[in-house]
Amino acid sequence: MRHARRTLRRIVRTAAVGGILCGTLMVSDAMAGAPAQGPHAPASGPSGRVVADAVARLGPERTAGRWTGEDGRPVVAVTDEGAAAEVRRAGARAEMKRHSMRELRAAADALGRTPRIAGTAWSVDYAANQVTVYADRTVSRDAWERLQGAARQAGQSVRMRRTGGEFTLRVDGGSALLGRGGRCSAGFNVTDGRDNFVLTAGHCGPVGTSWFRSADGAPRPLGTTVARTFPGADFALVRYEDPDAFDGANAVAVGGGRTVAVVGAADPVVGQRVFRSGSTTGLRSGRVTALDATVNYREGTVTGLIQTTVCAEQGDSGGPLLAEGVALGVTSGGNGDCAEGGVTFFQPVTSALSRLGVRVIDGRLRPGASPSGSASPTPTVSPSPSESGAAAGGGADAGNAVGAPPVDPGRSRPTVTSIVELPLLLTGLVVIGISLIGLGAVRWLLTERADRDELRTSYAQSWG
């Protein structure tokens, strides 16, 4: 009987400790989207600019990518001990890898020169130090064998992986954009200083496509696509033509009547937690797993994409990807769904803004206020300039994001509405509370048992 009680106490104590740890993780995940000081506040650790400068000095021969670790600190892959020491002096964690960034990029470039096979994709996995090639279920055995031959020629850093589902564009954030060819999602509101536009996915429709919005259950005119790139890249501009369709604001709906103000744009970092909104599946979260990914859709090849673990479904195309109020991308395509999960790719916002000659409207401006900026001609597509690796929100400091107003050093940054998963937060707190009660009960039982033993011993000594 005594052994059974000890076993029961041990089980309750172990379960309570496990409950506290589980609840703590749930609360941490629920609060992961909350900025500490503003839209660009680093999570912890050194300045991202200091780390980026160290990586730039070492060059692609001695480094192999950088990402944000689970603890929020920057991690840099290096190829020699000297480079590792310099990375540590910059305040980041160094991981020794076999293949340099130059080798990884050369392998990816070699894959890009192979004959196109629809249903395939590849990206550089920094943490695994390899180029991962994906082939969906539509890729035949013969095509798979040809791809394996190309991978062998590309180098030892290439790894092949079959994946379920099919890489598709998510036609059929953002609010719904209704067109004759299908349904997409609105991304971000942008401006050229004269006209206002919606930035969305290029595959949603060609130039001249008319778009409608749903108002009171009926379609209302919204605007027309005036600039578009697809394939190659995947972005488009829809000019607002209905005065009632644009109120001067720029915010992303996150459910429950809440919105997050968009304050600028920047490039993400690998490992960063991000959020996506779409007209089909609403708000979803995940992490960035790779940058500069290439996807061979049936409709064409798109390069330079952001790869994530965020799910998406038909109709989510063009919807916004963001972190802490900073615009990162618009939904392009992927595989899987939000029931079983999958991989989703996004067109980076920064490259789209640069090529279109527009900037993100500051969502902190009062609705109807005229955004500052000089007028420029109607946007046209121009060659993409070289892109920087500046990060936003995920533990690296990007400075001022593209499209964000200059920051006065003498003033604190305005706070940005955070994305907090309230159900997960409440569940985590309840789990922690129950676990603490369990620990308290066990301690009370142990104390009571100790008092009884002490009293029994005292009686035994008194009565001989």
Side-chain angles (χ1 to χ4, degrees):
M1 186 69 178
R2 184 180 305 168
H3 176 72
R5 284 198 300 269
R6 284 201 300 267
T7 301
L8 179 60
R9 287 197 299 268
R10 187 179 300 113
I11 292 173
V12 172
R13 185 187 301 130
T14 302
V17 172
I20 291 175
L21 292 175
C22 180
T24 302
L25 288 174
M26 293 170 72
V27 171
S28 176
D29 281 346
M31 297 297 292
Q37 298 173 335
H40 315 298
S44 62
S47 165
R49 179 55 58 193
V50 174
V51 176
D53 289 344
V55 171
R57 286 194 303 272
L58 292 168
E61 290 285 2
R62 304 180 66 191
T63 61
R66 62 190 179 104
W67 63 95
T68 299
E70 291 293 333
D71 58 358
R73 294 183 59 82
V75 183
V76 179
V78 296
T79 58
D80 62 76
E81 285 296 341
E86 185 163 346
V87 165
R88 295 188 190 103
R89 283 194 295 270
R93 187 166 69 250
E95 286 193 10
M96 195 68 65
K97 300 295 183 182
R98 176 183 177 186
H99 303 290
S100 69
M101 179 56 71
R102 188 178 299 278
E103 294 176 77
L104 297 175
R105 286 175 178 168
D109 290 343
L111 291 169
R113 293 190 293 270
T114 61
R116 181 180 178 276
I117 300 176
T120 61
W122 54 82
S123 61
V124 178
D125 186 333
Y126 298 153
N129 194 228
Q130 65 187 32
V131 177
T132 305
V133 179
Y134 303 89
D136 68 19
R137 66 185 179 189
T138 67
V139 176
S140 67
R141 179 179 299 178
D142 290 342
W144 173 256
E145 291 176 354
R146 293 199 305 273
L147 198 59
Q148 285 182 316
R152 285 192 293 269
Q153 293 181 357
Q156 297 181 348
S157 63
V158 180
R159 296 292 181 272
M160 302 285 292
R161 178 180 170 186
R162 276 281 192 180
T163 183
E166 180 181 354
F167 291 125
T168 60
L169 300 167
R170 295 320 200 188
V171 179
D172 185 66
S175 305
L177 294 179
L178 309 175
R180 292 182 176 85
R183 174 169 59 89
C184 277
S185 297
F188 301 99
N189 285 332
V190 298
T191 183
D192 64 357
R194 182 179 61 190
D195 293 321
N196 300 311
F197 310 85
V198 175
L199 179 66
T200 188
H203 69 261
C204 289
V207 172
T209 300
S210 297
W211 294 99
F212 302 84
R213 59 192 174 93
S214 179
D216 300 324
R220 298 286 180 85
L222 185 142
T224 303
T225 300
V226 295
R228 176 238 198 183
T229 293
F230 179 82
D234 194 0
F235 55 82
L237 279 184
V238 177
R239 179 193 283 122
Y240 280 107
E241 294 176 350
D242 180 1
D244 296 329
F246 179 67
D247 62 2
N250 194 15
V252 174
V254 296
R258 295 177 301 154
T259 59
V260 172
V262 180
V263 299
D267 293 319
V269 290
V270 174
Q272 180 179 7
R273 191 178 187 203
V274 291
F275 296 85
R276 175 198 60 76
S277 184
S279 61
T280 300
T281 56
L283 184 71
R284 303 287 173 163
S285 67
R287 294 193 181 274
V288 176
T289 55
L291 304 175
D292 200 23
T294 296
V295 185
N296 292 304
Y297 300 116
R298 285 181 298 174
E299 295 82 356
T301 299
V302 182
T303 62
L305 297 175
I306 303 165
Q307 180 177 319
T308 74
T309 60
V310 188
C311 70
E313 297 181 7
Q314 303 297 319
D316 287 330
S317 279
L321 179 74
L322 71 160
E324 302 177 9
V326 178
L328 302 175
V330 292
T331 307
S332 176
N335 68 347
D337 54 37
C338 288
E340 298 182 359
V343 176
T344 302
F345 300 93
F346 296 84
Q347 165 68 46
V349 164
T350 52
S351 60
L353 296 177
S354 176
R355 297 175 66 179
L356 291 166
V358 296
R359 59 179 176 78
V360 169
I361 292 175
D362 187 350
R364 293 166 296 187
L365 294 175
R366 61 180 177 84
S370 298
S372 61
S374 58
S376 61
T378 300
T380 56
V381 177
S382 58
S384 175
S386 59
E387 298 169 19
S388 65
D397 180 14
N400 290 340
V402 177
V407 177
D408 183 354
R411 298 171 57 188
S412 60
R413 299 180 190 270
T415 57
V416 180
T417 305
S418 304
I419 304 176
V420 180
E421 298 181 34
L422 189 59
L424 184 62
L425 174 64
L426 294 177
T427 303
L429 292 175
V430 170
V431 170
I432 292 174
I434 294 175
S435 302
L436 289 173
I437 292 173
L439 278 180
V442 170
R443 183 170 182 178
W444 178 78
L445 290 173
L446 291 175
T447 301
E448 185 181 40
R449 178 58 185 266
D451 290 342
R452 289 200 302 268
D453 290 345
E454 184 179 354
L455 185 61
R456 188 179 295 112
T457 301
S458 176
Y459 281 145
Q461 290 175 350
S462 299
W463 293 94

